[in-house]
Amino acid sequence: AQSVTQLGSHVSVSEGALVLLRCNYSSSVPPYLFWYVQYPNQGLQLLLKYTTGATLVKGINGFEAEFKKSETSFHLTKPSAHMSDAAEYFCAVSARNTGGFKTIFGAGTRLFVKA
Amino acid sequence: SAVISQKPSRDICQRGTSLTIQCQVDSQVTMMFWYRQQPGQSLTLIATANQGSEATYESGFVIDKFPISRPNLTFSTLTVSNMSPEDSSIYLCSVRVNGEQFFGPGTRLTVL
């Protein structure tokens, strides 16, 4: 079984500041990890994913995340926030279960960007 | 990749009635997933549907309330039965292709 914890339901940053959204996971088997973004009244959009290989993964819109197995973390970062980054962000973990792969989502973190 | 369509895109229903949501994928997939996103909340997995077998339901979801059909490798339906206002949510169909999870546009359900 797997689970995801996103630390902080709301994060507020100033435009141009570093964005850090935290995600910790648990999984009994090697996981696949994802970050999705959801803009108001829109569907989910994949930002980036980690499956195997390089632990630092780069995604769209300047976001990146680092898989740290020892810390069971997959935090999302962006060096400089833009107003258009204001949205809901979901961390997700996918792992093989008895019936196949299953993807579980964190509770989400709403990012606010101040001018 | 996978392109997923859902019908209807939205509906307003009376309590006690049932609604069937259709999901069509543009490629054959072994497993299809149904999620629910209640207002202001995250996605919760309802069930996993394999073609030719009964769906596997997550804790808190039962077949009588959310019957699922999976007649072939590109199509599935989810029925929300005997609806109450608490069932008002966005219902999303999802598939997994090459390690990536793809989502349909969702069906926004409002129960009065």
Side-chain angles (χ1 to χ4, degrees):
Chain A
Q2 65 263 40
S3 66
V4 184
T5 302
Q6 290 184 240
L7 299 176
S9 59
H10 298 83
V11 170
S12 182
V13 300
S14 298
E15 193 173 21
L18 171 71
V19 175
L20 171 60
L21 305 183
R22 299 178 186 274
C23 173
N24 288 89
Y25 71 91
S26 73
S27 176
S28 55
V29 297
Y32 291 3
L33 296 161
F34 307 85
W35 276 98
Y36 289 86
V37 61
Q38 186 176 39
Y39 297 99
N41 297 314
Q42 294 190 29
L44 285 170
Q45 182 180 6
L46 180 67
L47 272 179
L48 49 79
K49 65 179 179 182
Y50 168 80
T51 54
T52 59
T55 56
L56 180 65
V57 292
K58 296 185 184 299
I60 61 172
N61 301 338
F63 284 94
E64 62 182 37
E66 186 171 10
F67 170 58
K68 293 187 176 181
K69 184 177 179 181
S70 61
E71 299 177 10
T72 61
S73 68
F74 191 58
H75 302 330
L76 181 71
T77 60
K78 181 174 180 177
S80 177
H82 192 274
M83 297 296 288
S84 61
D85 294 326
E88 187 88 21
Y89 292 81
F90 296 99
C91 181
V93 59
S94 184
R96 185 176 289 280
N97 294 266
T98 306
F101 276 96
K102 188 163 69 172
T103 301
I104 302 299
F105 284 78
T109 298
R110 181 165 295 277
L111 176 65
F112 296 92
V113 182
K114 300 174 291 187
Chain B
S1 69
V3 178
I4 304 172
S5 60
Q6 288 184 231
K7 288 195 295 187
S9 59
R10 59 177 63 227
D11 207 343
I12 301 173
C13 301
Q14 297 297 320
R15 68 171 67 210
T17 62
S18 297
L19 176 72
T20 295
I21 303 167
Q22 298 179 8
C23 175
Q24 181 75 50
V25 188
D26 68 342
S27 57
Q28 294 185 337
V29 293
T30 304
M31 299 171 71
M32 296 177 76
F33 306 87
W34 286 98
Y35 286 83
R36 179 175 75 181
Q37 187 176 23
Q38 293 177 300
Q41 297 190 30
S42 184
L43 280 74
T44 302
L45 182 62
I46 297 172
T48 303
N50 288 330
Q51 192 267 334
S53 63
E54 275 198 6
T56 303
Y57 289 83
E58 297 299 307
S59 176
F61 297 96
V62 294
I63 187 171
D64 290 346
K65 175 68 176 177
F66 297 101
I68 289 171
S69 78
R70 183 79 202 276
N72 58 53
L73 291 174
T74 63
F75 187 80
S76 177
T77 67
L78 170 76
T79 299
V80 186
S81 304
N82 189 24
M83 289 184 283
S84 67
E86 292 71 34
D87 294 320
S88 296
S89 288
I90 298 173
Y91 291 85
L92 298 112
C93 175
S94 177
V95 301
R96 186 184 177 85
V97 176
N98 295 330
E100 185 171 337
Q101 199 92 9
F102 294 89
F103 291 86
T107 296
R108 185 180 293 272
L109 171 63
T110 302
V111 184
L112 303 177

PDB file of all heavy atoms in Angstrom, chain A residues 41-55:
ATOM      1  N   ASN A  41     -11.158  25.495 -11.944  1.00  0.00           N
ATOM      2  CA  ASN A  41     -12.159  24.985 -12.890  1.00  0.00           C
ATOM      3  C   ASN A  41     -11.540  24.316 -14.110  1.00  0.00           C
ATOM      4  O   ASN A  41     -12.158  24.282 -15.176  1.00  0.00           O
ATOM      5  CB  ASN A  41     -13.101  26.114 -13.333  1.00  0.00           C
ATOM      6  CG  ASN A  41     -13.898  26.665 -12.164  1.00  0.00           C
ATOM      7  OD1 ASN A  41     -14.441  25.908 -11.368  1.00  0.00           O
ATOM      8  ND2 ASN A  41     -13.923  27.971 -12.045  1.00  0.00           N
ATOM      9  N   GLN A  42     -10.333  23.809 -13.950  1.00  0.00           N
ATOM     10  CA  GLN A  42      -9.694  23.083 -15.041  1.00  0.00           C
ATOM     11  C   GLN A  42      -9.297  21.685 -14.589  1.00  0.00           C
ATOM     12  O   GLN A  42      -9.364  21.352 -13.411  1.00  0.00           O
ATOM     13  CB  GLN A  42      -8.467  23.851 -15.546  1.00  0.00           C
ATOM     14  CG  GLN A  42      -8.807  25.178 -16.206  1.00  0.00           C
ATOM     15  CD  GLN A  42      -7.612  25.786 -16.892  1.00  0.00           C
ATOM     16  OE1 GLN A  42      -6.713  25.090 -17.357  1.00  0.00           O
ATOM     17  NE2 GLN A  42      -7.598  27.111 -16.967  1.00  0.00           N
ATOM     18  N   GLY A  43      -8.887  20.869 -15.542  1.00  0.00           N
ATOM     19  CA  GLY A  43      -8.468  19.509 -15.242  1.00  0.00           C
ATOM     20  C   GLY A  43      -7.042  19.442 -14.735  1.00  0.00           C
ATOM     21  O   GLY A  43      -6.361  20.454 -14.597  1.00  0.00           O
ATOM     22  N   LEU A  44      -6.600  18.247 -14.452  1.00  0.00           N
ATOM     23  CA  LEU A  44      -5.245  18.022 -13.967  1.00  0.00           C
ATOM     24  C   LEU A  44      -4.241  18.063 -15.108  1.00  0.00           C
ATOM     25  O   LEU A  44      -4.480  17.522 -16.176  1.00  0.00           O
ATOM     26  CB  LEU A  44      -5.155  16.650 -13.302  1.00  0.00           C
ATOM     27  CG  LEU A  44      -5.784  16.508 -11.934  1.00  0.00           C
ATOM     28  CD1 LEU A  44      -5.819  15.051 -11.538  1.00  0.00           C
ATOM     29  CD2 LEU A  44      -5.030  17.310 -10.901  1.00  0.00           C
ATOM     30  N   GLN A  45      -3.117  18.683 -14.825  1.00  0.00           N
ATOM     31  CA  GLN A  45      -2.029  18.734 -15.814  1.00  0.00           C
ATOM     32  C   GLN A  45      -0.765  18.189 -15.161  1.00  0.00           C
ATOM     33  O   GLN A  45      -0.410  18.610 -14.059  1.00  0.00           O
ATOM     34  CB  GLN A  45      -1.817  20.172 -16.276  1.00  0.00           C
ATOM     35  CG  GLN A  45      -0.737  20.337 -17.332  1.00  0.00           C
ATOM     36  CD  GLN A  45      -0.560  21.777 -17.776  1.00  0.00           C
ATOM     37  OE1 GLN A  45      -1.170  22.687 -17.218  1.00  0.00           O
ATOM     38  NE2 GLN A  45       0.269  21.985 -18.775  1.00  0.00           N
ATOM     39  N   LEU A  46      -0.100  17.266 -15.834  1.00  0.00           N
ATOM     40  CA  LEU A  46       1.120  16.695 -15.291  1.00  0.00           C
ATOM     41  C   LEU A  46       2.255  17.707 -15.383  1.00  0.00           C
ATOM     42  O   LEU A  46       2.558  18.225 -16.455  1.00  0.00           O
ATOM     43  CB  LEU A  46       1.496  15.429 -16.054  1.00  0.00           C
ATOM     44  CG  LEU A  46       2.761  14.716 -15.589  1.00  0.00           C
ATOM     45  CD1 LEU A  46       2.575  14.142 -14.183  1.00  0.00           C
ATOM     46  CD2 LEU A  46       3.130  13.600 -16.562  1.00  0.00           C
ATOM     47  N   LEU A  47       2.888  17.972 -14.235  1.00  0.00           N
ATOM     48  CA  LEU A  47       4.046  18.868 -14.202  1.00  0.00           C
ATOM     49  C   LEU A  47       5.330  18.095 -14.464  1.00  0.00           C
ATOM     50  O   LEU A  47       6.172  18.518 -15.250  1.00  0.00           O
ATOM     51  CB  LEU A  47       4.169  19.513 -12.823  1.00  0.00           C
ATOM     52  CG  LEU A  47       3.433  20.807 -12.535  1.00  0.00           C
ATOM     53  CD1 LEU A  47       3.687  21.219 -11.094  1.00  0.00           C
ATOM     54  CD2 LEU A  47       3.838  21.901 -13.493  1.00  0.00           C
ATOM     55  N   LEU A  48       5.493  16.991 -13.756  1.00  0.00           N
ATOM     56  CA  LEU A  48       6.689  16.175 -13.896  1.00  0.00           C
ATOM     57  C   LEU A  48       6.460  14.823 -13.240  1.00  0.00           C
ATOM     58  O   LEU A  48       5.491  14.646 -12.501  1.00  0.00           O
ATOM     59  CB  LEU A  48       7.912  16.866 -13.279  1.00  0.00           C
ATOM     60  CG  LEU A  48       7.784  17.429 -11.861  1.00  0.00           C
ATOM     61  CD1 LEU A  48       7.909  16.354 -10.810  1.00  0.00           C
ATOM     62  CD2 LEU A  48       8.836  18.506 -11.623  1.00  0.00           C
ATOM     63  N   LYS A  49       7.380  13.899 -13.536  1.00  0.00           N
ATOM     64  CA  LYS A  49       7.263  12.570 -12.958  1.00  0.00           C
ATOM     65  C   LYS A  49       8.642  11.965 -12.724  1.00  0.00           C
ATOM     66  O   LYS A  49       9.606  12.281 -13.431  1.00  0.00           O
ATOM     67  CB  LYS A  49       6.455  11.645 -13.869  1.00  0.00           C
ATOM     68  CG  LYS A  49       7.128  11.371 -15.213  1.00  0.00           C
ATOM     69  CD  LYS A  49       6.283  10.424 -16.071  1.00  0.00           C
ATOM     70  CE  LYS A  49       6.973  10.186 -17.412  1.00  0.00           C
ATOM     71  NZ  LYS A  49       6.160   9.301 -18.292  1.00  0.00           N
ATOM     72  N   TYR A  50       8.727  11.114 -11.730  1.00  0.00           N
ATOM     73  CA  TYR A  50       9.913  10.311 -11.494  1.00  0.00           C
ATOM     74  C   TYR A  50       9.515   8.847 -11.609  1.00  0.00           C
ATOM     75  O   TYR A  50       8.580   8.388 -10.949  1.00  0.00           O
ATOM     76  CB  TYR A  50      10.503  10.572 -10.107  1.00  0.00           C
ATOM     77  CG  TYR A  50      11.540   9.546  -9.743  1.00  0.00           C
ATOM     78  CD1 TYR A  50      12.837   9.644 -10.239  1.00  0.00           C
ATOM     79  CD2 TYR A  50      11.215   8.436  -8.958  1.00  0.00           C
ATOM     80  CE1 TYR A  50      13.781   8.672  -9.951  1.00  0.00           C
ATOM     81  CE2 TYR A  50      12.154   7.472  -8.671  1.00  0.00           C
ATOM     82  CZ  TYR A  50      13.433   7.589  -9.176  1.00  0.00           C
ATOM     83  OH  TYR A  50      14.363   6.624  -8.904  1.00  0.00           O
ATOM     84  N   THR A  51      10.244   8.116 -12.442  1.00  0.00           N
ATOM     85  CA  THR A  51      10.005   6.670 -12.544  1.00  0.00           C
ATOM     86  C   THR A  51      11.264   5.937 -12.115  1.00  0.00           C
ATOM     87  O   THR A  51      11.284   5.254 -11.102  1.00  0.00           O
ATOM     88  CB  THR A  51       9.592   6.278 -13.973  1.00  0.00           C
ATOM     89  OG1 THR A  51      10.568   6.766 -14.903  1.00  0.00           O
ATOM     90  CG2 THR A  51       8.245   6.899 -14.317  1.00  0.00           C
ATOM     91  N   THR A  52      12.328   6.058 -12.873  1.00  0.00           N
ATOM     92  CA  THR A  52      13.617   5.488 -12.509  1.00  0.00           C
ATOM     93  C   THR A  52      14.711   6.418 -13.035  1.00  0.00           C
ATOM     94  O   THR A  52      14.430   7.364 -13.768  1.00  0.00           O
ATOM     95  CB  THR A  52      13.838   4.088 -13.105  1.00  0.00           C
ATOM     96  OG1 THR A  52      13.753   4.199 -14.533  1.00  0.00           O
ATOM     97  CG2 THR A  52      12.798   3.102 -12.634  1.00  0.00           C
ATOM     98  N   GLY A  53      15.971   6.144 -12.633  1.00  0.00           N
ATOM     99  CA  GLY A  53      17.064   6.924 -13.187  1.00  0.00           C
ATOM    100  C   GLY A  53      17.361   8.163 -12.377  1.00  0.00           C
ATOM    101  O   GLY A  53      17.333   8.157 -11.149  1.00  0.00           O
ATOM    102  N   ALA A  54      17.658   9.242 -13.075  1.00  0.00           N
ATOM    103  CA  ALA A  54      18.061  10.492 -12.434  1.00  0.00           C
ATOM    104  C   ALA A  54      17.036  10.933 -11.409  1.00  0.00           C
ATOM    105  O   ALA A  54      15.831  10.976 -11.685  1.00  0.00           O
ATOM    106  CB  ALA A  54      18.257  11.578 -13.483  1.00  0.00           C
ATOM    107  N   THR A  55      17.529  11.277 -10.229  1.00  0.00           N
ATOM    108  CA  THR A  55      16.613  11.607  -9.134  1.00  0.00           C
ATOM    109  C   THR A  55      16.116  13.040  -9.191  1.00  0.00           C
ATOM    110  O   THR A  55      15.125  13.368  -8.546  1.00  0.00           O
ATOM    111  CB  THR A  55      17.293  11.360  -7.782  1.00  0.00           C
ATOM    112  OG1 THR A  55      18.503  12.120  -7.730  1.00  0.00           O
ATOM    113  CG2 THR A  55      17.599   9.884  -7.595  1.00  0.00           C
TER     114      THR A  55
END
